[in-house]
Amino acid sequence: MTTGGKAVLGWSLGGVAASWVAIAGAFDQLYALIPNEPLTLALGLTLTVISLYGLVRSARRGPQWGLVPATVASIAVVAGIVTDGSLLALGLTISGFY
């Protein structure tokens, strides 16, 4: 396996993990570890944005077969971004939302 292939697989696994953190943070599953909901949402949003950047960068430089796991992970990451971003925006605009 080439270095580009390892990078794509690494970012894909990291992206799936980041999307899990984002979606689990949005549905209060991580609230037991971090009792501050805006902090949990911001952490998930930050991790997903970083992993999306890494996925796009590694998929461009990686082999063609790496597009499949990168695409699947990108879909999960975008779902995490939309979930966390919308809840964080609602919490910042509506007082008492959290």
Side-chain angles (χ1 to χ4, degrees), residues 3 9 12 19-20 22 26-27 37 41-42 50 59 64 68 70 72 89 91 93:
T3 307
L9 287 179
S12 296
S19 68
W20 179 84
F27 292 111
E37 190 168 359
L41 293 172
I50 290 171
Q64 288 182 348
V68 174
V72 171
T93 56

Side-chain angles (χ1 to χ4, degrees), residues 35-78:
N36 188 354
E37 190 168 359
L39 181 64
T40 305
L41 293 172
L43 175 69
L45 189 63
T46 303
L47 288 176
T48 52
V49 168
I50 290 171
S51 64
L52 186 62
Y53 177 76
L55 275 167
V56 170
R57 188 175 168 103
S58 66
R60 279 193 347 222
R61 297 178 179 179
Q64 288 182 348
W65 61 264
L67 290 175
V68 174
T71 302
V72 171
S74 295
I75 292 169
V77 166
V78 168

